[in-house]
Each structure stands twice: as C-alpha cells, then as structure tokens.
Amino acid sequence: MNILVNPAPSTWKKELARPVFKTKEINKIVKPILRKVKRNGDKALYKFAHEYDHVDLDSLLVSEEEILAASAALSPELRQAIETAKANIERFHQAQASPELVEEVMPGVLCKRRSVAVQRVGLYIPGGTAPLFSTVLMLGVPAKIAGCKEIVLCTPPNREGKVHPAILFTAQLIGIHKIVKVGGAQAVAAMTFGTASVPQVDKIFGPGNQFVTAAKQLATKYGVAIDMPAGPSEVLVYADESAVPSFVAADLLSQAEHGVDSQVVLVTHTEKFAKKVLKEINKQLEKLSRRDIAKKALNNSVAVVLQDEDEAIALINEYAPEHLIISVQKEEETVDAIVNAGSIFIGNYTPESAGDYASGTNHTLPTYGYARNYSGVSLDSFVKKITYQKISPEGLKNLGPTVEIMAENELLDAHKNAVTIRLNYLKENNL
Amino acid sequence: MNILVNPAPSTWKKELARPVFKTKEINKIVKPILRKVKRNGDKALYKFAHEYDHVDLDSLLVSEEEILAASAALSPELRQAIETAKANIERFHQAQASPELVEEVMPGVLCKRRSVAVQRVGLYIPGGTAPLFSTVLMLGVPAKIAGCKEIVLCTPPNREGKVHPAILFTAQLIGIHKIVKVGGAQAVAAMTFGTASVPQVDKIFGPGNQFVTAAKQLATKYGVAIDMPAGPSEVLVYADESAVPSFVAADLLSQAEHGVDSQVVLVTHTEKFAKKVLKEINKQLEKLSRRDIAKKALNNSVAVVLQDEDEAIALINEYAPEHLIISVQKEEETVDAIVNAGSIFIGNYTPESAGDYASGTNHTLPTYGYARNYSGVSLDSFVKKITYQKISPEGLKNLGPTVEIMAENELLDAHKNAVTIRLNYLKENNL
C-alpha cells in the first residue's frame, strides 16, 4: 500500500483505478454453461456438480431432513447472533416500505402508486472459502417483507454434497424452503431459464465470483433482471487525527481479506497519520488467517494524503466508494457533502463489519464506482412500483382539453381521439 | 388483428410474442458510432449531424436566443396545456419523495437512509416524426425535483438545424438550459463519454428508436446507468360488456399509431364484444393521419377471448403489459389481482393518453414484459438511496458480540477483529 501525497485531481482516476476484469475470456467460459443449462436443464446441473463441485448428487434440492438437522449443528451463540441480526435487518427494511400514494391531482383525476412484489426471485449465495449466511439474511429478509411469491436459493454443495448448516438454518429461519445445490454460472442459468428443480425467476440477486457476475450480466439478455452490476468489494476510509489508527487499519484489513481483487483506500490529511495506519496494518496483518489474500489486495490499494478537506471530499465523490467510513472531526458536514457512496459508516465506533452483518443496513452495495448511479439492495429492489389512475367524467372534462392540445401538437391523432371520443360521448349523453 | 378464442395457457407465450429485434445487426452499426464519438468528440457529432440529420451545424448547443424565441412560436393554448401537465406531473412526483429514514435498531445503533440525487443525468428526446415535448416533462420534472446537479438534454436537429420550439419551451419551463443538437446513437455516446459540448453523465434516460436503444445498452458497459431496457410501446385492454367498444378501439389505436412495431392486445370475455371493437377500429382507423403505421402495428396484435376471469388475469400477469387499461365491472378486485404491469388505467373514462401527457403519472414505462421486474421512471430513478450508520460505544457493546460470532463463523477474522479491537480499547480505557 503506497502513500500518495497531494496527487493532482487529474491523476485521481488513474491512481485509484480499480482492478480490471477480463470479461471476454470469462464470457467464453460462461456462455456455453448458459446454453447447456437452457438445453438440458437438471441433467446439465448434475453434470456441472460433478465437474465443478466434485460431487455426484442424488438430488439437487436440499431435503427437509437436511434443513431440520442444520439447527442442531450450530452453536446456540451463533443461532442467537443470526436471530439478532435478522431482527435488526427486518426492522430497518420494514421501515423502507412505501405506503400507497394517492393524489387527486385535479378534481376527478385520481393517481395512485403501489408497491407490488417482484413475484419470483432467485438468491445466489456463494459457497467456497466462507459460508455466507449473512447474505441469506440480506437478500432473504427483504424478499420476504416484499411478499415475493416464489423465493429460490441456489448455493453450491461441498464435496460431500452438503450445504453449510448456517446457510440452511438462516434460510429456514426466514422461511425460504426451496434451496438448490447448484453454484456458479450454472445456478444463474438455471434461475434464468428454469429447470425441473429450479423455477425460472424474474430477478436474480446475490454476489459471486467473476463467473457468477458474468453469468448475471449475460442473463439480462433473456429478460431476467439482476440486483446490480458487480465488481470486487471495496472500502474507502476518510480519517483525520481524531481517528484511532488501529481502528482504521482494522477496517481496511476487513475489506482486504475479502479477495485478492478487493481495493481499500485511505484518505487522510497528513502523511504522518497515513504512516501510523500503515504501521498498524503491518502489525495486525500477521495475525490474520487470510493474510495472504489481504496482502495481495493491499497491492491494489493506496493511501492518499490530501491536505485540503474540499479536495478530499471531491476525491471521495469521484471515486464513489461502495463502503465509506468517515472518522473525522467535522463529521456532520462531511457526511452531508458526500453524494456518491453505497453505505456510510460514521465515527470511531462504527466498523464496516457492523453493517456487513447485523446493524440492519444491507450489505449488498454498488461497487466499482456504481455508487454514482445505483443504490444498494433494499426493500425497493424486491418490488415494482405500479402507477394507477382513474378519471371520472368530470375529471376528463377538466383534464381532457390539455391532453387533446398536447397530442395534436405531437402529431398523434389517435392519442387525441381517445379523449375526444369520450368527451363527445359525455356531451351527446348529457353526462 | 385476429381474434383468438379460449387459447390454451400453454400457447399464450407464442400467441402474444412481441416483435423481435435484430440486435446483432443494429449493434454492428451502433458500435462504430460509439467508438468514433469516444475518439473524436464534438468533431464526430458535427459529422454525424451532416450524415444523419442532413445539416451542417454552426454550434451543437442551442443558443439563448433560440430558447427565448421558442415561447413566442407556440400558441397560448399549447403553452397553457404544457404548464397544466407540468403542474400535475410535479405534484405526483413530488409526492414520491422518500423522507429521511431514521431507525435506532438497538440502543446506540443508529441507521439512516437518505435520497441523494444522481448528480449528472442525460435526457434523450427523440425528434423524427413527432416532437416529443411530453417526454421532456416526464424526465425533466423528476430530475429537477430530485436535485440533479447537471441535466443535459440531447435531441436531433431538423434539416434547418433547429430544435422544435415546443421542446425548447418545455425545457426552459422546467429549468433545463443545456440543450444539445445531437440525436441517435451518437447522442448516447456523447453523454456516455463526454465531449467538449456534451458533459459526461451518470445516467441516461429516454426513449428512442432501435439505434438509440442499442446504444443505451452498449453504454452500460462503460459505467453509465440507463433508465430501463426498452422495447416498442404496447397496451393491453381488458374490457367486458360494461366497456364502450368505441373507447376501447380508440385506446388500442392510440397505441398502434406509435410505430409499426407497437403491439396492442384486447382481452375480453366474448367473441361478440371483440367483434364490436374490431368493427370500431376499422371505422376509426380511416380517419387517422398515421393510419398506415397503425395498420402495420395491428398486424402484430391480437384480441383474446377468455371466458374465465381468472384465466384473463393470469394471461395479463404473464404478458406483463406496459400499459394496462381495465374496463370491467369487477373493477377493484381485478385491479388488485394484477401483479405485473407498468401503469394501470381504470374505467371507461381513463384513456391511456391521459397518462401519456398530463395526469401526473410517468409515461416512461417498462415494455417488452419488463413490467415483471422493473418499475416505470419515477423520482426514485433520479436518486440513489444511501444508507448511514453511527454506533456509539454503548451501541458497539450491544451489537459487537453478534458481529464477532457471525464473522468468526464466516471465517472472516479481520471482520471480527474490527469489532474486537474497538471493544478491547473501550475496556482498556474504561469507556
């Protein structure tokens, strides 16, 4: 992790460039997977389980028994922690519900808007090095609150053909019963096209490696929606002398351990503070089990020293971090000045990991600069907002002439006529 | 327009298939346009204006004088109509604002969510056969309410190098001052990459022909967001004997006149009613100036007779129409049963054109079945919802252990350590 002192704004983009994907090469691998699942359904899924997960499955679906056994396999402490996190996430996402909107914009012209659940959703939960049961909470809880009719969870089996009990426990706690042992691009394909075991869905959520990410992007060509475009996880910590260097180091490392392509950025006002943090990083790093991953991620990472506060804020808004930790004296005005970020963690006692797991906010957030134009996953991600209108005869008399004139000037006769024919009918029938 | 009587559910998909795009061929034309604009900026835009709009422009930007002259070029009636429509759209979109959400999920754990404007947005307004000033309202009004910092409007010039005064008048009424004479895929490219005259934006909105649509899709590869994937416009009218056949016919025609690839669908309970509507269509069609377009669109269209109400609703939800007109006796329960639609128009006196222009709802809606998983444009489309959290020392003591246990079980040491290091610090310092 290098220290950059007062880099010119014109160099920020280059200096803070995120790792680049090799999309083309990955698509070359992923496209045939999609094609095979589309054509051969479950048969292809069993074959991919053999090939990629090194297991011959008897059934793709997790059984009742497996789900029931999961709870007993977890410590009471972990069960309690998951329940606490669920309660917080539920509370914060329930509060996001939009009440029905009703506006009589003119006498007799009633407009409404309602949230209606996306009917069929697919949640992808990665397996691999860590069982991400926290992501089951982050996607499953809002899906349930939204009232999605069909929720399917796909996650890769281990070599014994099992799914980690923490994932199963969390899913059943939320009320998700359809859990399929399928991972990678083939899981995305199955949810896109539907197979005998996996229902076709309207929207696919969830993180994953580059193959999953590529598959999700390709899937959108077949009418399915996805939560958001994804890149590797990242954090930017903005800290001044009021921050505790060891806390800052711990936060940077918690992001760095995610993956070798993660990026962490420190923005601070003095080189002295930056050096303190780097020293702490080196100290803490050696104790981490995932230190090799973290070390590689730190190679993509940088500490930026900017003496000027406005410049620091400008850099942050240009970078648009997924996670932004703000630990500075002028806390409130700094927070208010941020316009591009996924989620913001404020003060010395708010580690990113609080939001990653249990505070209630969602951890599925826009990476790769997409915080400029995307929100994180929320209750909104699981609903469509449908608008409604009902116009009375009186309302049409009030609004109709406006529509007629506008349609006429857009040279759309038939649009005008749909009003005129009704107004004439009202006149002819003395209504 | 054929009549289908009681088609089996398994055939619905095929019978109601939407027109297919030739994406590959269109991309072959659009990709070089993007590349040239990226490389040559304004110079490419002037060249494309010459090539596609048949005009040599002195300046890409619409001048102050042109904007000032626009108002005088419109009739007072049209100006008044645009102002009325603006007021309604403003009212309904202002009501969509989400207040700041604040939840103390546990003592000392404060979570918030705020709407923050997408900073730089680009609005594309097609030229061509009709000057779509209504779309200026539908995109510009919510952009202004959201507080977008930079709003650029791109629209193709005519052969005199001018933009239609109704577009200019509407833009200045809303407060949009940067209007660029550039159309087609090159406009999308300019807003994606930025040129000397056109600022780079974070999100691009607006309808357009297949080239514009393809360019928007391709643009997403460069980090820009778009309002939604787009296909040709469509309406489904669900009407029983309580509906007036001439109204139904007028509504179907108002959609059919949009373009030769538009699709209109009638769903009704008896063949007799369907025939009445078709008869009315033939009668009204001959009077329309755009009858040739409408006739071709009617060839993509179908009247479906389904005696069973539940089947009718199932078909509508499967089709997921952009516009849905419901004119049936059991109005309320039918409306409540619809889960997939862009915007719903209820009753005999609510033509789609009311919503297209002036009632207050947005007319930028998901087509092509995307009403299953996308909402129409709304105030939400112009903001990101950023989450915030601030945890006090007390809060971290409450929440921390939950985070530690979960992180430990996901095998993410550093995530755990970001909490532990703080809890230890609090203990050591008796805080």
Side-chain angles (χ1 to χ4, degrees):
Chain A
M1 198 170 176
N2 291 324
I3 299 180
L4 275 180
V5 180
N6 286 324
S10 61
T11 67
W12 293 348
K13 202 171 174 177
K14 192 176 143 270
E15 296 292 358
L16 295 176
R18 284 140 166 126
V20 179
F21 308 113
K22 289 171 185 152
T23 321
K24 263 198 184 160
E25 291 160 39
I26 290 169
N27 281 350
K28 255 188 214 161
I29 298 166
V30 170
K31 275 182 185 173
I33 296 177
L34 264 66
R35 207 166 44 232
K36 282 176 190 165
V37 173
K38 189 180 179 189
R39 196 186 301 149
N40 302 326
D42 274 3
K43 212 178 133 189
L45 300 183
Y46 283 110
K47 221 176 143 194
F48 285 125
H50 176 86
E51 204 169 315
Y52 292 127
D53 306 312
H54 312 288
V55 61
D56 290 310
L57 296 170
D58 293 325
S59 166
L60 290 164
L61 290 174
V62 172
S63 69
E64 274 300 312
E65 293 73 43
E66 287 174 291
I67 293 172
L68 288 172
S71 175
L74 303 191
S75 71
E77 292 74 25
L78 178 56
R79 288 204 302 266
Q80 180 54 52
I82 292 172
E83 281 169 21
T84 300
K86 174 174 175 274
N88 288 349
I89 296 164
E90 246 167 15
R91 179 161 170 180
F92 191 64
H93 285 74
Q94 185 66 62
Q96 294 167 6
S98 307
E100 180 171 298
L101 174 67
V102 183
E103 286 281 317
E104 192 171 6
V105 291
M106 280 176 140
V109 181
L110 195 70
C111 294
K112 292 192 191 186
R113 190 170 75 147
R114 271 188 213 163
S115 295
V116 178
V118 176
Q119 297 293 293
R120 308 171 299 173
V121 298
L123 316 183
Y124 183 73
I125 306 296
T129 47
L132 296 185
F133 54 87
S134 61
T135 304
V136 180
L137 290 173
M138 294 295 174
L139 302 178
V141 167
K144 273 287 169 184
I145 295 172
C148 300
K149 278 273 171 59
E150 177 141 45
I151 305 175
V152 55
L153 189 159
C154 290
T155 190
N158 65 15
R159 284 179 182 232
E160 285 74 49
K162 299 286 176 202
V163 171
H164 194 283
I167 290 177
L168 298 183
F169 170 78
T170 309
Q172 67 77 26
L173 186 69
I174 296 169
I176 297 173
H177 307 296
K178 196 163 201 104
I179 305 168
V180 191
K181 295 171 182 173
V182 55
Q186 57 272 29
V188 174
M191 295 189 277
T192 303
F193 303 118
T195 72
S197 298
V198 184
Q200 185 182 37
V201 303
D202 299 318
K203 193 166 182 179
I204 298 173
F205 295 80
N209 59 23
Q210 297 187 49
F211 299 99
V212 171
T213 299
K216 281 170 69 185
Q217 281 293 352
L218 290 169
T220 61
K221 293 189 182 169
Y222 300 94
V224 78
I226 60 171
D227 44 2
M228 68 187 85
S233 202
E234 64 203 21
V235 70
L236 187 150
V237 181
Y238 177 30
D240 66 11
E241 306 285 336
S242 73
V244 181
S246 64
F247 298 180
V248 174
D251 291 331
L252 293 169
L253 284 169
S254 77
Q255 194 54 243
E257 78 171 341
H258 261 302
V260 295
D261 50 5
S262 289
Q263 191 176 51
V264 306
V265 179
L266 170 65
V267 176
T268 188
H269 298 148
T270 65
E271 205 172 343
K272 191 177 155 203
F273 186 83
K275 282 184 176 160
K276 278 188 201 166
V277 172
L278 290 190
K279 201 175 149 195
E280 272 293 332
I281 286 180
N282 290 328
K283 209 166 103 187
Q284 293 177 27
L285 188 57
E286 290 313 316
K287 294 179 208 147
L288 297 178
S289 57
R290 293 165 70 92
R291 60 181 165 275
D292 293 340
I293 292 172
K295 273 181 194 166
K296 282 182 189 156
L298 289 169
N299 289 339
N300 309 325
S301 300
V302 65
V304 183
V305 176
L306 286 172
Q307 274 144 8
D308 186 79
E309 290 168 24
D310 292 338
E311 272 211 332
I313 287 167
L315 177 137
I316 295 167
N317 282 328
E318 185 180 310
Y319 182 73
E322 178 193 13
H323 304 97
L324 170 62
I325 299 178
I326 293 179
S327 195
V328 297
Q329 232 153 1
K330 292 187 191 168
E331 184 178 286
E332 270 186 52
E333 61 184 277
T334 304
V335 169
D336 291 347
I338 299 301
V339 292
N340 293 330
S343 193
I344 302 181
F345 302 77
I346 305 165
N348 257 321
Y349 295 98
T350 314
E352 187 206 306
S353 45
D356 288 340
Y357 286 107
S359 64
T361 61
N362 209 290
H363 78 195
T364 310
L365 294 165
T367 55
Y368 218 70
Y370 283 111
R372 287 181 297 114
N373 38 29
Y374 282 84
S375 307
V377 162
S378 73
L379 188 58
D380 287 342
S381 313
F382 294 87
V383 300
K384 296 103 52 179
K385 292 186 179 163
I386 302 181
T387 52
Y388 304 78
Q389 59 206 283
K390 181 164 184 181
I391 304 180
S392 68
E394 187 209 357
L396 196 65
K397 285 179 202 166
N398 289 329
L399 185 68
T402 294
V403 177
E404 289 179 304
I405 294 165
M406 290 177 77
E408 189 183 315
N409 279 278
E410 284 195 356
L411 313 178
L412 294 171
D413 284 14
H415 281 65
K416 181 186 179 186
N417 190 50
V419 173
T420 310
I421 203 168
R422 285 168 164 97
L423 291 179
N424 288 343
Y425 180 95
L426 289 172
K427 204 180 282 175
E428 282 158 20
N429 293 280
N430 293 315
L431 293 169
Chain B
M1 197 170 179
N2 290 324
I3 300 181
L4 276 180
V5 180
N6 286 324
S10 61
T11 68
W12 292 349
K13 202 171 175 179
K14 192 176 143 269
E15 295 292 357
L16 295 177
R18 281 136 168 131
V20 179
F21 307 111
K22 289 171 185 151
T23 321
K24 263 197 184 161
E25 292 161 38
I26 291 170
N27 280 352
K28 256 188 214 160
I29 298 167
V30 169
K31 275 182 184 171
I33 295 176
L34 263 67
R35 206 165 45 232
K36 283 175 190 167
V37 173
K38 189 180 180 190
R39 195 184 303 148
N40 302 326
D42 274 3
K43 211 178 135 190
L45 301 183
Y46 282 109
K47 220 177 144 194
F48 284 125
H50 177 85
E51 204 169 315
Y52 292 129
D53 305 313
H54 313 289
V55 61
D56 290 312
L57 295 170
D58 293 325
S59 166
L60 289 164
L61 290 174
V62 171
S63 68
E64 274 299 314
E65 293 72 41
E66 287 173 292
I67 293 172
L68 287 173
S71 175
L74 304 190
S75 70
E77 291 75 26
L78 178 57
R79 289 204 302 264
Q80 180 55 53
I82 291 172
E83 281 170 20
T84 301
K86 173 173 175 271
N88 289 348
I89 295 164
E90 244 167 17
R91 179 162 170 180
F92 191 64
H93 285 75
Q94 184 66 62
Q96 294 167 7
S98 307
E100 179 171 298
L101 174 66
V102 183
E103 286 280 317
E104 191 171 6
V105 291
M106 281 175 139
V109 181
L110 195 70
C111 295
K112 291 191 191 188
R113 190 170 74 147
R114 271 188 212 164
S115 294
V116 178
V118 176
Q119 298 293 294
R120 307 171 301 173
V121 298
L123 316 182
Y124 183 73
I125 306 297
T129 47
L132 295 185
F133 54 87
S134 61
T135 304
V136 180
L137 291 173
M138 295 295 174
L139 302 177
V141 167
K144 272 288 169 185
I145 295 172
C148 301
K149 278 271 172 57
E150 177 140 46
I151 305 175
V152 55
L153 189 160
C154 290
T155 189
N158 65 16
R159 286 180 180 231
E160 285 75 49
K162 299 288 177 200
V163 170
H164 194 284
I167 290 178
L168 298 182
F169 171 78
T170 308
Q172 67 77 25
L173 187 68
I174 296 170
I176 298 173
H177 307 295
K178 196 165 199 99
I179 306 168
V180 191
K181 295 172 182 173
V182 54
Q186 57 273 27
V188 174
M191 295 188 278
T192 301
F193 303 116
T195 73
S197 298
V198 184
Q200 185 182 37
V201 303
D202 300 316
K203 192 166 182 179
I204 298 173
F205 295 80
N209 59 23
Q210 298 185 47
F211 300 98
V212 171
T213 300
K216 281 170 68 185
Q217 281 293 352
L218 290 169
T220 61
K221 293 188 183 171
Y222 301 92
V224 77
I226 61 171
D227 45 1
M228 67 186 84
S233 201
E234 64 204 20
V235 70
L236 186 151
V237 181
Y238 178 29
D240 66 10
E241 304 286 335
S242 73
V244 181
S246 64
F247 296 1
V248 174
D251 290 333
L252 293 170
L253 284 169
S254 77
Q255 194 53 243
E257 78 171 341
H258 262 302
V260 295
D261 50 4
S262 290
Q263 191 177 51
V264 305
V265 179
L266 170 65
V267 175
T268 188
H269 296 146
T270 66
E271 206 173 341
K272 192 177 152 201
F273 186 84
K275 282 183 176 163
K276 276 189 202 167
V277 172
L278 290 192
K279 202 175 147 193
E280 271 293 334
I281 286 180
N282 290 328
K283 211 166 103 186
Q284 293 177 28
L285 187 56
E286 290 312 314
K287 292 178 209 149
L288 297 177
S289 58
R290 292 165 70 93
R291 60 182 166 273
D292 293 341
I293 291 172
K295 274 181 194 168
K296 282 181 190 157
L298 290 169
N299 289 339
N300 308 326
S301 302
V302 64
V304 183
V305 177
L306 286 172
Q307 273 144 10
D308 186 80
E309 288 167 26
D310 291 340
E311 274 211 330
I313 287 166
L315 177 137
I316 294 167
N317 281 327
E318 186 180 310
Y319 183 72
E322 179 193 12
H323 303 96
L324 171 61
I325 299 178
I326 293 179
S327 195
V328 297
Q329 232 153 2
K330 290 186 192 168
E331 185 177 285
E332 271 187 50
E333 60 184 277
T334 303
V335 168
D336 289 348
I338 299 301
V339 291
N340 293 329
S343 193
I344 302 181
F345 301 77
I346 305 164
N348 258 319
Y349 295 97
T350 315
E352 187 206 304
S353 44
D356 287 340
Y357 287 108
S359 64
T361 61
N362 209 291
H363 78 193
T364 310
L365 295 165
T367 56
Y368 219 71
Y370 283 111
R372 286 181 298 114
N373 38 30
Y374 283 84
S375 308
V377 163
S378 73
L379 188 59
D380 286 342
S381 313
F382 294 87
V383 300
K384 296 103 49 179
K385 291 184 180 164
I386 301 181
T387 53
Y388 304 78
Q389 58 204 283
K390 179 162 187 183
I391 304 180
S392 69
E394 186 210 355
L396 196 65
K397 286 180 203 164
N398 289 329
L399 185 67
T402 294
V403 176
E404 290 179 304
I405 294 165
M406 291 177 77
E408 188 183 316
N409 280 277
E410 284 194 356
L411 313 177
L412 295 173
D413 285 13
H415 281 66
K416 181 186 178 186
N417 190 50
V419 173
T420 309
I421 203 167
R422 285 170 165 95
L423 290 179
N424 289 342
Y425 181 95
L426 288 173
K427 206 181 281 176
E428 284 158 20
N429 292 280
N430 293 317
L431 293 170

